[in-house]
Structures are given as C-alpha cells and as structure tokens.
Amino acid sequence: MEKKFFEAPTIHIGSVDINVRDLENSLLFYKGVLGFQVLEQTDRKAVLTADGKNALITINQPKDVIPKQQRTTGLYHFAILLPSRADLAAFLKHFIGTGLADRLGFGAADHVVSEALYFSDPDGNGIEIAHDRPASDWSWTAGQVTMRTDPLDGDGILSELKEEWKGMPADTVMGHIHLHVDDLEKAREFYIDGLGFDIVTNYPGALFTSHNGYHHHVAVNVWSGVGAPRPAVNSIGLNWYTLVFPDDSNLKETINQLENVGATITKEMNDYITEDPSGNKIKLIVRS
C-alpha cells in the first residue's frame, strides 16, 4: 500500500457509516471475524478502528431498522485496504478457518492493480478486503488504468503467509467505495466536474474515478437499474462516507465546484455535507 494515495495532497475516502440489524451481532463479526477494535460504543452505535485512533467504520442500529433493500441506489461495497500481500494471506487463511465463506457469499478476483476478496457482513453490506500491487506495476493508457476481473491465485497469496492473523493491521485504510447510482451521466458530472476526480476506467455500466493517480477512490454503477430508487433512510446500508481533504483551501475550492454543478452543501459543526445525484451522502472533512 502506497501512502501517497491516502495522505495530502490526495483527496481520499476516510470512513464509512452504515446501518445494521443488530449491533451486538455485528460486533461479533467486525471484531471477531474482521479484527477491528472498538473506538467508541453506545447502545446503538459503535465506531471501529484499526489503529486505535482513527475511525474506519461506524455501525448503527436504528430503532426501526428494516432489511437491506434490493435494486436501489446506495452501497455496493466498501474496500478495506491492507498494507501488504502477506496481510491478505493471513486474513484469507483466517477467514477460511471461520467456515463463514459460503454463508457470506465469498468471492475473489485479481484486478491487476490489486488482489481482492469479496463477501458481505451478516446484514448484506458489501465488503472487499484487498491489497494493492505497487503503483509502478500499474499500466496506464491515455489516462486510464488497466483493471480486469481475473481469477485470484489463492495458493500464491497463501504462499506469502508470514504469521497468523492478529486483527486489522494498524496501517489499514479505507481504500475505496463502490456505489449504486441511478444515472451514470449525472454521477459523472458530480464526481468529475464537482469533486474534481478523474475517470480512470470505463466499464460497462460503471465508472471508476480517483484523485492524484490512484486506481480508484470512488466507483459508481447503474447495475441496480437506471432510475433505481433510493433506499429508505432506516434500511440496512450506507448512511454516509467521508472524503478527506488536505486543507481548507482545497475544500473550499471543491465546494465552489459542487455548487457550480447544482449540488447542495450544508454545514454540520465542522463538516460540510453533500450528496451525489442518487442520494449517496458524503461528509467533506479536512484532515485533522
């Protein structure tokens, strides 16, 4: 993992906030299976961390929570990025040992730029666990990076195993988020003209976007259908995600760009809140 894609001057994903059906059951998964630590907890909310300082995932149990709705806009998956292939090897061995792979819809892929494992949490929130290949090995043509979905060499990954899984490494970050949207062109205008990201890969029904030359920080797709409805606010799924900006001037410039494409921005304490045209909410924050 190359830190330049997750530190100034790069704009990147900081954390995600999701709804779950049962907080205690989810904590068994996020702590016991994924290996996160609890940073803060109340009766209906827990903030999860890898390094004991920074939030990566917040899970909420709304009083009137309803099951995850299908074929809506919202979360496709969020990607937890591990520091190394050896870390992915340790997690893969551990995950296989839990016996949960079939129950959680386990899948895997080699994307050329990264190697990834896919599954869902107990409520259907999509999760990717990945590691990046060195950026020097990525192939770019006319501003677009080569990404594919090839079979994963699981045995090759496991051959990199150095030690058993001991929980999320402290250097773990939120690598990217992949979202369902209702209109790809409107999403393009918001993420490219508004947020200032670059399109780095075009894929059937999807766009992959990033800042500062990463393979993707935010991906969007219309695989739930063009014109897909928004999920109910109390359904299992995404509440919001954060975009981390290097400084106030960069944030203010982006806010101006968003206003120019018709996005609404509100302020809550020190955070600026906006949402893409499909209702995916974003907190715009400055690196502390």
Side-chain angles (χ1 to χ4, degrees), residues 30-32 34-38 48-50 56-57 80 167-168 172:
Y30 282 96
K31 290 170 59 183
L34 298 192
F36 283 102
Q37 307 166 47
V38 174
L48 305 172
T49 179
L56 286 182
I57 303 169
I80 299 162
M168 284 289 163
T172 298

Side-chain angles (χ1 to χ4, degrees), residues 11-284:
I11 301 168
H12 61 89
I13 308 298
S15 64
V16 300
D17 187 293
I18 60 174
N19 285 341
V20 298
R21 180 185 59 83
D22 182 282
L23 184 67
E24 290 304 321
N25 186 60
S26 290
L27 283 173
L28 291 175
F29 172 78
Y30 282 96
K31 290 170 59 183
V33 177
L34 298 192
F36 283 102
Q37 307 166 47
V38 174
L39 191 61
E40 302 173 19
Q41 185 175 350
T42 64
D43 289 345
R44 292 186 173 272
K45 175 180 176 179
V47 180
L48 305 172
T49 179
D51 63 5
K53 298 179 291 184
N54 298 295
L56 286 182
I57 303 169
T58 299
I59 54 176
N60 301 273
Q61 180 190 331
K63 291 181 180 179
D64 55 351
V65 65
I66 62 174
K68 182 176 176 63
Q69 297 175 282
Q70 302 301 312
R71 304 197 67 79
T72 67
T73 62
L75 182 67
Y76 182 48
H77 65 247
F78 56 82
I80 299 162
L81 188 64
L82 301 178
S84 71
R85 197 178 197 222
D87 293 315
L88 188 65
F91 178 79
L92 177 58
K93 181 182 178 184
H94 158 75
F95 189 76
I96 292 170
T98 67
L100 294 171
D102 289 341
R103 191 185 312 174
L104 298 177
F106 180 78
D110 184 335
H111 294 304
V112 184
V113 295
S114 63
E115 294 177 295
L117 312 174
Y118 294 94
F119 48 88
S120 295
D121 75 4
D123 297 307
N125 291 303
I127 299 172
E128 175 182 342
I129 305 284
H131 89 94
D132 280 343
R133 288 197 169 95
S136 57
D137 293 344
W138 304 349
S139 177
W140 293 83
T141 304
Q144 300 218 351
V145 67
T146 298
M147 290 196 291
R148 297 192 301 269
T149 302
D150 295 338
L152 185 72
D153 180 9
D155 290 337
I157 290 173
L158 290 173
S159 72
E160 301 274 349
L161 185 68
K162 295 178 180 178
E163 59 182 10
E164 298 300 310
W165 181 251
K166 297 177 181 177
M168 284 289 163
D171 287 344
T172 298
V173 299
M174 190 61 65
H176 68 262
I177 193 166
H178 194 154
L179 303 164
H180 293 296
V181 297
D182 60 16
D183 184 292
L184 217 51
E185 178 54 32
K186 290 180 180 178
R188 186 210 64 77
E189 182 181 43
F190 177 87
Y191 285 98
I192 307 307
D193 300 337
L195 285 176
F197 280 25
D198 300 310
I199 296 174
V200 289
T201 295
N202 288 284
Y203 193 82
L207 292 174
F208 292 76
T209 77
S210 79
H211 188 252
N212 202 28
Y214 191 50
H215 58 70
H216 65 298
H217 289 107
V218 181
V220 295
N221 72 67
V222 289
W223 300 336
S224 284
V226 174
R230 300 180 182 190
V233 295
N234 60 327
S235 72
I236 287 168
L238 180 70
N239 291 315
W240 45 260
Y241 68 93
T242 63
L243 276 180
V244 183
F245 289 77
D247 53 50
D248 287 322
S249 62
N250 191 275
L251 174 57
K252 289 176 181 177
E253 179 183 351
T254 300
I255 287 172
N256 289 335
Q257 292 170 184
L258 288 167
E259 290 175 337
N260 288 338
V261 299
T264 299
I265 296 97
T266 59
K267 191 171 184 181
E268 295 180 8
M269 299 182 69
N270 294 324
D271 300 333
Y272 290 88
I273 313 297
T274 190
E275 60 180 45
D276 72 14
S278 299
N280 295 304
K281 185 179 288 188
I282 311 165
K283 287 191 175 184
L284 311 175

